[in-house]
């Protein structure tokens, strides 16, 4: 899925892998690829349903497809923090 947060200059997309893509919404070019790791440092695959929540700047929330888990991911590092 793709999520374009309000008041931001980039979009975020997932493709069901362990990556979150930062997209320039004008050109649709990928400007950054973030590899997501779980709390144990292992790659977290099946990422989807990306959400940015006000007051959590620098973080994105996602779930892993076919699970009931929602992960809080630090955008700077790609690490799950909760």
């Amino acid at each position: 899925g793709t999520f374009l947060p309000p008041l931001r200059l980039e979009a975020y997309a997932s493709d069901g892998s362990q990556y979150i893509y930062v997209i320039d919404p004008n050109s649709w070019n990928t400007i950054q690829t973030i590899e997501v790791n779980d709390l144990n440092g292992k790659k977290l695959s099946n990422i989807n349903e990306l959400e940015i929540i006000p007051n959590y700047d620098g973080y994105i929330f996602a779930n892993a497809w076919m699970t009931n888990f929602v992960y809080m991911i630090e955008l700077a590092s790609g690490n799950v923090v909760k």
Side-chain angles (χ1 to χ4, degrees):
T2 302
F3 177 70
L4 181 60
L7 304 175
R8 291 193 180 260
L9 301 176
E10 64 273 335
Y12 297 90
S14 64
D15 62 0
S17 68
Q18 72 268 23
Y19 298 107
I20 294 174
Y21 303 96
V22 183
I23 308 294
D24 178 320
N26 296 310
S27 67
W28 286 99
N29 291 326
T30 300
I31 55 177
Q32 183 181 0
T33 301
I34 302 167
E35 184 173 52
V36 179
N37 297 298
D38 68 15
L39 292 169
N40 297 315
K42 296 181 183 176
K43 295 175 183 151
L44 181 64
S45 61
N46 299 325
I47 295 169
N48 69 351
E49 297 295 330
L50 303 177
E51 300 286 341
I52 290 188
I53 298 174
N55 300 322
Y56 287 92
D57 194 37
Y59 296 92
I60 196 164
F61 293 79
N63 82 312
W65 186 64
M66 300 296 290
T67 73
N68 293 324
F69 300 110
V70 175
Y71 299 96
M72 181 178 178
I73 302 163
E74 182 182 44
L75 289 170
S77 67
N79 292 327
V80 169
V81 296
K82 288 187 181 184

